Amino acid sequence: MIPPAFDYARPSSVDEAVRTLAGAGDEAKVLAGGQSLLPLMRLRLAYPELVVDVGRIPELRGVREDGDTLVIGAMTTHHDVIADPLVRRHAGLLAAATATVADPAVRHRGTLGGSLAHADPAADLPAVVLALDGELVAQGPGGRRTIPARGFFVDFLQSALAPDELLVEVRIPKADGWGFHYEKFHRVAQAYAIVGVAALVRRDNGQIAETRIGLTNMGATPLRASAAEHALSGAGDPDAVARAADSAAEGTRPARDTAASPEYRAHLARVLTKRAVLAAAGMG
Amino acid sequence: MTHISVKVDGTTYEDDVEPRLLLVHYLRDRLGLTGTPVGCDTSNCGACTVELDGAAVKSCTVLAVQADGSEVTTVQGLAHDGEWTGLQRAFHEQHALQCGFCTPGMIMAARDLLREHPHPTPDEVRQGLEGNLCRCTGYQNIVLAVLAASEQEVTA
């Protein structure tokens, strides 16, 4: 399968990339690692007139600290995110979940920013960054703006990025002291999650003080399981966690597809939330 | 057309290519390096795995223009003066192939795996090769070959 023809630009700086995008209207696509975009183009589900390859912009790669925040360049590959000592120390959930994305060869090419900008609710990292209360920094012709993850995922495969904006970095508040776990249910290795649950848990005196839960593939966008987050406050044993996890699917609208019915996805959300929270809380 | 310069298995090539040309098609159709097969063409099966600047990638999901200025190693670039690598020998000795279609990708992915985990457990081998499918389902001997190769590197 051969992609449709397109024009190709390879800017060497963020400014040049933004200028290129601004000159192309709605017909341009940003090529990050290409692990989602190129399959879509080969299947002729995407027909960009211009592909803007941001793979040779060094300022978009790497991880640094900014006080209590980790700043991850949008073009940092999954492989590099998993291996990064700062990510492992301060955002272990992101490292653990990224290690479940696709397979090693895809993780050498695929990038954190590309996965988030693609805004696929079945992808793992959108729900993880949502659970981590991350922020996404976009640069457009008018400068930079910061978009909270809660406002970034607009609809199926739609982010809050304007056509002339480039996602440049992802800001993750350090989650020191939080337990974490990503529980993913999929049909075979390297398949997309049928449902995934990203959990962060802070304990106090043996009880759960605070929980943040991101849901993968439970609607058109990644979602927070807000009802379960509230219900889990004060849970001190596995039975209490299981009761609270029963509300994990509240407010979700999961899709029906060949892998699962909405009812089955709701069931999975409850079961996987229980497992993820127990593991994150060290009660499993 | 976009001009690219890419080093493949030690030889540097200069070419003008359509931006939509996939790396695997460039290798096979332009350079004649048909040791890298096209399997599923949907980045699932891993048969087309090559190394791009030392990291395993699925060459059906990389554009040739993205390899501009880079170094590509295919399965055909592994042997030196007709001498197989230890990993290739292990695939031969452990009979780690049936039809052979997945073998180039399995070997390239296994190299990547052994670089990251020089002494893998059987489970780590299976996890590390999760992106490579064997249509004959001959996984058992493939895992044994990778384990044997890792042992050779310990004792060699």
Side-chain angles (χ1 to χ4, degrees):
Chain A
M1 286 174 284
I2 297 178
F6 53 84
D7 290 327
Y8 176 76
R10 193 167 67 205
S12 52
S13 71
V14 170
D15 288 345
E16 188 190 344
V18 169
R19 276 199 306 278
T20 307
L21 287 172
D26 292 345
E27 302 308 323
K29 265 305 225 184
V30 173
L31 174 64
Q35 302 302 289
S36 297
L37 179 59
L38 294 179
L40 284 179
M41 288 170 62
R42 278 188 327 222
L43 293 167
R44 306 273 172 140
L45 296 171
Y47 287 82
E49 286 178 11
L50 174 68
V51 168
V52 181
D53 179 359
V54 295
R56 304 290 174 97
I57 304 179
E59 63 194 285
L60 290 177
R61 287 181 195 266
V63 182
R64 62 183 170 87
E65 287 177 285
D66 180 9
D68 290 334
T69 304
L70 280 188
V71 184
I72 307 174
M75 283 296 290
T76 309
T77 64
H78 300 319
H79 174 269
D80 289 353
V81 165
I82 296 165
D84 190 89
L86 288 173
V87 174
R88 298 175 86 100
R89 187 175 323 140
H90 302 298
L93 174 64
L94 180 62
T98 303
T100 75
V101 172
D103 59 65
V106 170
R107 294 196 292 266
H108 279 309
R109 296 293 295 171
T111 65
L112 175 60
S115 173
L116 298 176
H118 189 51
D120 186 344
D124 304 294
L125 303 181
V128 167
V129 171
L130 189 63
L132 283 161
D133 280 337
E135 294 180 322
L136 296 93
V137 180
Q139 185 167 330
R144 291 194 172 198
R145 67 179 178 122
T146 301
I147 309 161
R150 279 179 185 272
F152 184 79
F153 304 103
V154 176
D155 204 342
F156 182 70
L157 302 186
Q158 273 182 19
S159 76
L161 292 170
D164 57 1
E165 280 184 315
L166 181 69
L167 177 61
V168 291
E169 62 190 31
V170 182
R171 299 176 63 86
I172 306 277
K174 290 180 182 174
D176 298 1
W178 291 70
F180 61 85
H181 188 77
Y182 186 63
E183 186 76 18
K184 176 174 180 174
F185 189 79
H186 51 179
R187 204 166 42 84
V188 294
Q190 77 165 332
Y192 279 98
I194 295 174
V195 173
V197 175
L200 287 160
V201 174
R202 194 170 56 76
R203 290 180 75 178
D204 195 12
N205 288 329
Q207 293 191 327
I208 290 176
E210 205 178 341
T211 311
R212 299 196 218 137
I213 299 167
L215 301 175
T216 296
N217 219 359
M218 284 299 288
T221 64
L223 296 168
R224 285 283 285 263
S226 305
E229 290 179 0
H230 287 296
L232 280 158
S233 285
D237 60 67
D239 287 341
V241 169
R243 280 194 300 277
D246 274 342
S247 56
E250 275 183 26
T252 64
R253 294 192 60 191
R256 175 187 302 280
D257 57 24
T258 52
S261 65
E263 296 76 21
Y264 182 52
R265 283 202 159 88
H267 166 76
L268 284 175
R270 292 188 285 269
V271 172
L272 303 180
T273 294
K274 181 182 73 176
R275 290 182 194 166
V277 170
L278 286 175
M283 293 179 182
Chain B
M1 290 294 202
T2 301
H3 187 77
I4 61 169
S5 168
V6 55
K7 191 172 184 179
V8 182
D9 294 340
T11 304
T12 300
Y13 299 89
E14 301 264 345
D15 266 306
D16 290 314
V17 298
E18 262 196 288
R20 63 171 165 169
L21 182 68
L22 300 172
L23 179 59
V24 70
H25 291 142
Y26 177 69
L27 295 172
R28 291 175 58 83
D29 303 341
R30 193 71 72 91
L31 304 186
L33 295 172
T34 51
T36 301
V38 181
C40 67
D41 211 9
T42 54
S43 58
N44 280 290
C45 80
C48 66
T49 304
V50 301
E51 283 171 14
L52 182 60
D53 291 330
V57 303
K58 296 182 171 180
S59 62
C60 75
T61 310
V62 177
L63 299 170
V65 289
Q66 290 178 288
D68 180 29
S70 293
E71 199 164 326
V72 176
T73 304
T74 77
V75 73
Q76 288 170 268
L78 298 185
H80 283 293
D81 300 326
E83 189 77 19
W84 286 343
T85 63
L87 183 62
Q88 287 172 299
R89 273 200 310 279
F91 266 67
H92 182 223
E93 288 165 6
Q94 301 294 324
H95 192 61
L97 65 158
Q98 292 181 39
C99 82
F101 196 87
C102 73
T103 311
M106 285 289 179
I107 288 176
M108 299 313 287
R111 278 167 60 86
D112 204 64
L113 160 69
L114 290 173
R115 263 194 304 274
E116 303 250 329
H117 300 278
H119 310 292
T121 63
D123 190 54
E124 282 171 339
V125 173
R126 289 173 190 277
Q127 292 289 333
L129 297 179
E130 67 178 322
N132 293 72
L133 305 182
C134 168
R135 64 185 179 183
C136 312
T137 72
Y139 295 102
Q140 188 62 24
N141 286 0
I142 293 170
V143 173
L144 291 177
V146 177
L147 291 170
S150 72
E151 289 295 314
Q152 283 174 18
E153 273 158 33
V154 180
T155 53

